[in-house]
Amino acid sequence: MPSSPPFLFPEVQSTVLPDPSTFFSQNLLQSPLPTNSFFQNFVLKNGDQHEYFHPYLIKSSNSSLSVSYPFLLFSAAMLYQVFVPDITISSSTQKTTTPTKKDHVISSYSDLGVTLDIPSSNLRFFLLKGSPFITASLTKPTSLSITTPHSIVSLFPSNDDKTKYTLKLNNNQTWIFYTSSPIALYNKGSKILSNPFYGIVRVAALPDDSNNNGSNCGEILDRFSSCYPVSGDADIKKHFRVVYKWQTRRSGELLMLAHPLHLKLLKQNNNNVTVLNGFKYRSIDGDLVGVVGDSWVLEAQNVPVTWHSIKGVEKGSYKEIVSALNKDVKELNSSNLNTTSSYFYGKLVGRAARMALIAEEVSYPIVIPKIAKFLKETIEPWLKGTLKGNGFLYERKWGGLVTLQGSNDSGGDFGFGVYNDHHYHIGYFIYGISVLAKIDPDWGQEYKPQAYSLVTDFLNLGPRFNANYPRLRMFDLYILHSWASGVTEFEDGRNQESTSEAVNAYYAAALMGLAFEDSRLFDTGSTLLALEIQAAQTWWHVKSEDNLYEQDFSKDNRIVGILWSNKRDTKLWWASADCRYCRLSIQVLPLLPITEPLFSDGVYAKELVEWTLPSLKGKTNVEGWKGFTYALQGIYDKENALNNIRMLKGFDDGNSYTNLLWWIHSR
């Protein structure tokens, strides 16, 4: 990153952002704050909406913490986990909070966890993603209260020194309580009470026997009940590696849970971890499998980051592409743009940048100066702040970019002003800036400070690199993909619709690293790009032989619409589930060289296209969407795809005839 003081866009006071001081501790308010994190619901509105921590849904309200080991409901249209407060932990002598006092406080957070304090109950919870235990520290002698909506079948100490209790409920759940010193728990019918206790309490649901092939999960929980994590960091390394490191307390080895993508990426030959294949918790993301070790090395598949197509364009097709290129470039006119939306404007920038790179690839440089002129005339007003009606601004409440339209309208620019979709919008601009910096390095150097301010909004590695933005605004380092939904409370947690636009953002950042010869930016962008692609292939791409999702869902769907942390939906924000070509298109656009690794499985591409094509029959005014379906068809049936594309009468506003011909002729 640049060593000079980082550029900041003009400051603005947002009228639509919530106040972060309600739940964040005072010391955290001095720095930029997370806006798309796995615990975001805890700091929005009343802070009492649950979040998914793998394997538990966790909710904090009324000076207590409720834990749910959720069951899964499914249909052909949707999968979701149901929150039931299976156990609720509080103090039996808690002080009543006044309206001016916080119900809970976020006192610290890390890449993989958050510390939530309930001052009135003397409780501090270390909530780590992927921990089979809920860990609480009682900061002074306190009598605990544990309630449940289920009937208590039995409660009994499971060892002589009374540091382990087993609770059986009438919903067939068994919960185990471990304490750092002896405790007395009493069954009072509708609740469980304790004597005053000071120290550590750990709680775990016993996983289902049916999911664990008869392995003794209780013994495994016993063995790893001592050592607990208080935070977890994820260090992004070059060569497509991410290293997890948890900070732990007390003796013994650390037991955590890995989701299916973790297991694909986990390097087990480094002797740091042991995978317990017989120890599993159910999850909407697939089985969560036990892994022993306080440091994991995850290695994603190498993804080629190239300006041009990976395998090259057939020379015999140059003439057809050049003919389309001449027509498309001739129509470029910055004075004819009819939008000031940061999203739609960014797509037009990305569309033109594609033409410049295609011109390079087919050895037709004569059109590049006109494309460069268009790119300068469209990008510079955003970087200089001279665009009429919109522009990028900086706000300090949370620490990040907003747009003029989004600063006083939470729906403006698709919620950009409340930190929605930042990687989508900015990704298109970064792509255009990177291409322009490649073909005009002097221009790139002139606007490099503004370019870095844009990319750092969603790709900052931390305060050591830039103190104006939070760390990796959109990317979840446990689930290994981005979230798009910003500081808006949702019952089902964070969500993301378009994986391909997320891929575009990290791809564009890596290209910017190439353009500015910045190896750190290139490595960071490339690594997150590779992870985003593998996450999309794992959770959004639904293959016919897929056994990750329930049969009803995987039988009727080939791609997810909106993926939530606690739900899988077939509909989109802007279209019904029946619009299959809409679902396909939003997971393909924009069409780029990186689309090839994203849809590297030709068998799956064929399944997806054949599932989609019937929904296009008899449809008019959907030419733009047809283009993306035919693009994927070109992966396995180039001849028919080319014929279909030649008959199109229109294209998506971020796509062009030139770009579709380039794609087909580079298959």
Side-chain angles (χ1 to χ4, degrees), residues 237-255:
K237 304 286 190 181
K238 57 183 175 180
H239 308 305
F240 302 96
R241 283 191 175 193
V242 175
V243 177
Y244 287 177
K245 178 65 180 175
W246 287 274
Q247 287 68 52
T248 63
R249 294 180 184 167
R250 296 177 69 199
S251 62
E253 293 181 295
L254 179 67
L255 173 64

Side-chain angles (χ1 to χ4, degrees), residues 129-133 220 223-224 227 229 244 246 248 253-268 270-281 287-298 478:
K129 295 279 284 186
S131 175
F133 299 92
I220 293 173
R223 194 187 323 157
F224 300 104
C227 178
Y244 287 177
W246 287 274
T248 63
E253 293 181 295
L254 179 67
L255 173 64
M256 300 297 286
L257 299 173
H259 56 59
L261 183 52
H262 281 143
L263 295 174
K264 291 179 188 175
L265 308 183
L266 192 61
K267 288 184 70 66
Q268 299 180 39
N270 60 8
N271 299 320
N272 287 337
V273 298
T274 302
V275 177
L276 306 178
N277 288 309
F279 182 79
K280 300 176 183 177
Y281 284 79
D287 286 344
L288 306 175
V289 177
V291 176
V292 180
D294 62 8
S295 180
W296 299 1
V297 177
L298 306 172
Y478 178 82

Side-chain angles (χ1 to χ4, degrees), residues 561-630:
I562 305 172
L563 186 142
W564 303 73
S565 52
N566 197 42
K567 183 169 70 174
R568 303 292 180 268
D569 212 335
T570 53
K571 66 184 180 183
L572 302 172
W573 288 109
W574 47 277
S576 68
D578 295 335
C579 188
R580 293 183 174 186
Y581 56 85
C582 297
R583 272 200 266 171
L584 177 147
S585 298
I586 202 63
Q587 305 297 350
V588 175
L589 63 85
L591 196 61
L592 302 162
I594 203 63
T595 308
E596 184 168 327
L598 179 59
F599 288 92
S600 57
D601 185 339
V603 173
Y604 169 67
K606 188 172 189 287
E607 289 179 0
L608 178 58
V609 170
E610 291 179 346
W611 173 83
T612 304
L613 282 173
S615 69
L616 286 168
K617 283 184 179 176
K619 290 287 194 303
T620 57
N621 300 321
V622 295
E623 298 292 280
W625 300 135
K626 286 180 180 179
F628 297 112
T629 303
Y630 299 152

Side-chain angles (χ1 to χ4, degrees), residues 87 144-148 150-159 162-170 173-179 183-195 201-204:
I87 60 167
L144 285 175
S145 170
I146 300 162
T147 60
T148 175
H150 313 296
S151 296
I152 297 173
V153 175
S154 63
L155 171 73
F156 54 89
S158 307
N159 58 13
K162 294 188 176 180
T163 57
K164 175 188 173 186
Y165 281 75
T166 300
L167 170 66
K168 294 191 174 185
L169 304 175
N170 73 336
Q173 286 184 349
T174 298
W175 293 80
I176 305 175
F177 294 78
Y178 301 92
T179 55
I183 190 173
L185 294 181
Y186 306 99
N187 181 355
K188 294 296 184 180
S190 61
K191 67 171 65 175
I192 296 167
L193 299 176
S194 82
N195 63 326
V201 177
R202 306 197 79 194
V203 187

Side-chain angles (χ1 to χ4, degrees), residues 427-449:
Y428 284 112
F429 281 94
I430 291 300
Y431 186 79
I433 290 169
S434 302
V435 172
L436 192 47
K438 177 183 187 294
I439 59 182
D440 188 346
D442 290 340
W443 183 92
Q445 288 302 314
E446 181 180 355
Y447 290 98
K448 185 176 181 180

Side-chain angles (χ1 to χ4, degrees), residues 16 341 403 405-418 420 425 488:
V16 295
S341 157
T403 57
Q405 293 180 11
S407 64
N408 53 24
D409 177 4
S410 61
D413 284 327
F414 295 100
F416 193 95
V418 289
N420 197 55
H425 298 218
T488 303

Side-chain angles (χ1 to χ4, degrees), residues 112-369:
L112 305 173
V114 60
T115 302
L116 184 146
D117 297 342
I118 303 179
S120 63
S121 295
N122 304 321
L123 284 165
R124 165 168 287 181
F125 289 94
F126 302 108
L127 304 175
L128 277 293
K129 295 279 284 186
S131 175
F133 299 92
I134 301 296
T135 304
S137 171
L138 283 87
T139 54
K140 60 179 68 173
T142 303
S143 296
L144 285 175
S145 170
I146 300 162
T147 60
T148 175
H150 313 296
S151 296
I152 297 173
V153 175
S154 63
L155 171 73
F156 54 89
S158 307
N159 58 13
D160 293 336
D161 58 8
K162 294 188 176 180
T163 57
K164 175 188 173 186
Y165 281 75
T166 300
L167 170 66
K168 294 191 174 185
L169 304 175
N170 73 336
N171 66 341
N172 294 320
Q173 286 184 349
T174 298
W175 293 80
I176 305 175
F177 294 78
Y178 301 92
T179 55
S180 56
S181 59
I183 190 173
L185 294 181
Y186 306 99
N187 181 355
K188 294 296 184 180
S190 61
K191 67 171 65 175
I192 296 167
L193 299 176
S194 82
N195 63 326
F197 179 81
Y198 167 76
I200 299 298
V201 177
R202 306 197 79 194
V203 187
L206 196 63
D208 311 318
D209 288 338
S210 60
N211 205 29
N212 286 284
N213 300 319
S215 66
N216 196 331
C217 297
E219 289 183 3
I220 293 173
L221 289 171
D222 290 351
R223 194 187 323 157
F224 300 104
S225 61
S226 176
C227 178
Y228 65 92
V230 295
S231 66
D233 299 317
D235 192 9
I236 299 170
K237 304 286 190 181
K238 57 183 175 180
H239 308 305
F240 302 96
R241 283 191 175 193
V242 175
V243 177
Y244 287 177
K245 178 65 180 175
W246 287 274
Q247 287 68 52
T248 63
R249 294 180 184 167
R250 296 177 69 199
S251 62
E253 293 181 295
L254 179 67
L255 173 64
M256 300 297 286
L257 299 173
H259 56 59
L261 183 52
H262 281 143
L263 295 174
K264 291 179 188 175
L265 308 183
L266 192 61
K267 288 184 70 66
Q268 299 180 39
N269 57 359
N270 60 8
N271 299 320
N272 287 337
V273 298
T274 302
V275 177
L276 306 178
N277 288 309
F279 182 79
K280 300 176 183 177
Y281 284 79
R282 65 174 180 267
S283 165
I284 194 169
D285 294 309
D287 286 344
L288 306 175
V289 177
V291 176
V292 180
D294 62 8
S295 180
W296 299 1
V297 177
L298 306 172
E299 189 164 310
Q301 289 178 356
N302 190 315
V303 172
V305 176
T306 60
W307 294 103
H308 304 129
S309 62
I310 295 168
K311 296 174 183 174
V313 175
E314 294 174 344
K315 288 197 173 180
S317 66
Y318 280 16
K319 184 177 179 181
E320 182 178 22
I321 295 172
V322 166
S323 175
L325 189 57
N326 275 320
K327 291 178 183 177
D328 285 333
V329 172
K330 186 178 180 181
E331 293 172 1
L332 291 178
N333 186 341
S334 61
S335 63
N336 285 347
L337 299 189
N338 58 3
T339 182
T340 56
S341 157
S342 55
Y343 176 70
F344 291 116
Y345 200 110
K347 287 181 73 176
L348 294 172
V349 166
R351 175 181 181 271
R354 289 291 312 126
M355 294 179 196
L357 292 178
I358 292 168
E360 284 186 343
E361 191 166 356
V362 298
S363 304
Y364 194 66
I366 193 170
V367 295
I368 292 178

